[in-house]
Amino acid sequence: VSVLQAGRTMESLNIKRLPVLENEQLAGIVTQTDVIRGLVSLCPLRAVSDIMTAKVATIQADMSITQAARFMAAKGISCIVALHRQEVAGILTEKDLLKRVVALQKDPAQTQVADVMSFPIVTVSPDYSILSASKKLDDFHLHRLVIVDGNRVCGIITQTDLMRAIRRELDQMESERHRLTAQ
């Protein structure tokens, strides 16, 4: 199966890992990161601002985990950017909640976002290239990058955003090639 098809399968099933079989035996696992790494070099991509999610949920770092978790649940989101004096202080993810609150049996009403958020976070500017963003995610073993313009949060980009954008770009290139071949 091609890397592009593996990416399509992962996206359609909303999964981040895909078992690879050879002669009906498990040969390995391909991850979203593997697919991105394989595809990103194949297509001409633009700046992260073209594919970022512009509506970024933020919360003050001194808010309680209970408030943050309720906000995340209400919005159906897996992370929230924490601010301190209107500047990016960190990011709170579902993984942070599980590892640093639930697993440690901390009282979410008495625990502040600042106590369990991930920081420092890696940020990039809106004109940062998608290729460079992909490399940064890979190099730092991250799942998301926060896009900032000066001190202002203006977007977020995830591995899933990258994979979708790369797949769309390659699908368009493939369609154009088919169209030209047909002519």
Side-chain angles (χ1 to χ4, degrees), residues 34-137:
D34 297 328
V35 171
I36 292 167
R37 199 180 295 136
L39 295 177
V40 75
S41 61
L42 298 177
C43 59
L45 293 171
R46 42 208 181 273
V48 293
S49 60
D50 294 331
I51 66 168
M52 71 183 185
T53 300
K55 291 184 179 181
V56 180
T58 61
I59 194 166
Q60 293 301 310
D62 62 355
M63 300 289 275
S64 76
I65 290 299
T66 300
Q67 292 169 305
R70 284 184 180 147
F71 185 75
M72 290 167 67
K75 297 283 186 186
I77 54 177
S78 63
C79 71
I80 190 165
V81 174
L83 303 175
H84 178 71
R85 296 187 180 142
Q86 301 309 313
E87 290 192 20
V88 176
I91 192 164
L92 180 69
T93 67
E94 289 174 332
K95 186 176 180 179
D96 294 327
L97 292 173
L98 288 173
K99 286 175 65 176
R100 299 179 184 147
V101 179
V102 176
L104 299 177
Q105 298 180 343
K106 289 188 175 186
D107 180 355
Q110 298 300 315
T111 305
Q112 290 185 343
V113 170
D115 297 332
V116 296
M117 68 186 183
S118 295
F119 72 92
I121 61 171
V122 178
T123 62
V124 298
S125 64
D127 60 347
Y128 203 72
S129 79
I130 291 175
L131 179 62
S132 296
S134 173
K135 182 158 177 36
K136 190 164 282 222
L137 284 167

